[in-house]
Amino acid sequence: GEDVEQSLFLSVREGDSSVINCTYTDSSSTYLYWYKQEPGAGLQLLTYIFSNMDMKQDQRLTVLLNKKDKHLSLRIADTQTGDSAIYFCAERRGGGNKLTFGTGTQLKVEL
Amino acid sequence: GAVVSQHPSWVICKSGTSVKIECRSLDFQATTMFWYRQFPKQSLMLMATSNEGSKATYEQGVEKDKFLINHASLTLSTLTVTSAHPEDSSFYICSGTRDASYEQYFGPGTRLTVT
């Protein structure tokens, strides 16, 4: 995960929007993903974006990709307490199907 | 669809013993399975990639003789931690992919504690 960086912690109020950022280094990344991990559990795929896209929206989730700056973000609209978890970005490089995960961002949603 | 299970969900073993963790794809054929290790409050580190019927490919720094991986069928991969020591205590997560799939389907993880 050392090549994919995320801020460690984000705290938001319920109902506000959350923006989680991710910076990666490999320009050959083909797919970029956002996963959610709740305590003691595996990973749940939230959404993904192909590298030739700039934006993808899926209900409350909006992914923005800036290939020039190698920056990926996940915006969660109307954040709820159930969104509290750790969020990982991940990149799939080149033609392979291995994933490189980011360092993870702990999202805390307060009432 | 695309459910992956792991067994056991948690295990405690004594130092020096071996422990086997199973990863099963329940409703799809996983041509490739991955094993990850996650330390508390840290990211997932890929340990190895296994393709059905082939030897696993280990990431740099992962001891293949200590972490034995078998992928004997399209629905089952096993990770055996041999001669476990307390530093092997961790959360182990597997995932599987179908051919050409953009998505890895993750298991719920196995918490290993070595005393």
Side-chain angles (χ1 to χ4, degrees), chain B residues 79-101:
Chain B
L79 168 68
T80 301
V81 183
T82 62
S83 187
H85 291 284
E87 57 266 30
D88 299 323
S89 298
S90 193
F91 194 53
Y92 292 88
I93 304 176
C94 72
S95 70
T97 64
R98 296 184 277 228
D99 268 341
S101 170

Side-chain angles (χ1 to χ4, degrees), chain B:
Chain B
V3 178
V4 175
S5 70
Q6 285 184 239
H7 178 79
S9 54
W10 59 270
V11 56
I12 301 172
C13 71
K14 290 189 175 180
S15 190
T17 62
S18 295
V19 61
K20 180 186 284 188
I21 302 169
E22 291 185 352
C23 176
R24 291 183 185 271
S25 56
L26 299 184
D27 53 1
F28 70 101
Q29 293 187 323
T31 50
T32 304
M33 284 187 167
F34 302 86
W35 286 95
Y36 295 87
R37 184 173 181 177
Q38 186 180 31
F39 290 105
K41 298 189 186 301
Q42 292 191 27
S43 187
L44 279 74
M45 299 301 295
L46 179 65
M47 299 174 68
T49 303
S50 75
N51 293 297
E52 184 262 341
S54 304
K55 287 185 179 180
T57 302
Y58 290 81
E59 295 298 301
Q60 193 172 7
V62 178
E63 298 176 62
K64 65 174 83 171
D65 294 330
K66 180 163 188 63
F67 298 101
L68 300 179
I69 290 171
N70 183 281
H71 190 167
S73 77
L74 286 171
T75 59
L76 173 65
S77 177
T78 60
L79 168 68
T80 301
V81 183
T82 62
S83 187
H85 291 284
E87 57 266 30
D88 299 323
S89 298
S90 193
F91 194 53
Y92 292 88
I93 304 176
C94 72
S95 70
T97 64
R98 296 184 277 228
D99 268 341
S101 170
Y102 59 81
E103 183 173 355
Q104 288 187 23
Y105 305 99
F106 285 84
T110 297
R111 171 78 57 197
L112 170 63
T113 301
V114 184
T115 62

Side-chain angles (χ1 to χ4, degrees), chain A:
Chain A
E2 60 186 318
D3 294 336
V4 186
E5 298 287 338
Q6 298 178 238
S7 51
L8 283 179
F9 189 77
L10 175 66
S11 179
V12 299
R13 283 190 173 180
E14 190 177 40
D16 288 351
S17 293
S18 309
V19 179
I20 302 171
N21 294 301
C22 171
T23 303
Y24 62 98
T25 58
D26 194 326
S27 57
S28 70
S29 296
T30 53
Y31 288 93
L32 295 123
Y33 304 81
W34 283 103
Y35 287 89
K36 176 184 180 183
Q37 186 181 34
E38 300 190 47
L43 272 69
Q44 173 194 354
L45 177 66
L46 293 177
T47 187
Y48 68 95
I49 189 167
F50 189 50
S51 58
N52 67 354
M53 299 168 67
D54 298 323
M55 186 185 88
K56 180 178 181 181
Q57 185 158 1
D58 185 359
Q59 299 182 333
R60 291 192 298 127
L61 306 178
T62 303
V63 179
L64 295 178
L65 174 61
N66 181 329
K67 281 198 75 174
K68 176 176 169 289
D69 295 336
K70 298 187 181 67
H71 185 263
L72 180 74
S73 68
L74 174 70
R75 178 177 180 270
I76 305 173
D78 187 25
T79 313
Q80 302 297 306
T81 54
D83 295 324
S84 291
I86 299 177
Y87 290 78
F88 292 97
C89 62
E91 57 173 346
R92 182 179 174 186
R93 297 173 175 175
N97 56 6
K98 290 199 298 187
L99 295 180
T100 300
F101 283 86
T103 46
T105 299
Q106 170 102 46
L107 174 64
K108 183 178 179 183
V109 182
E110 298 174 325
L111 296 172

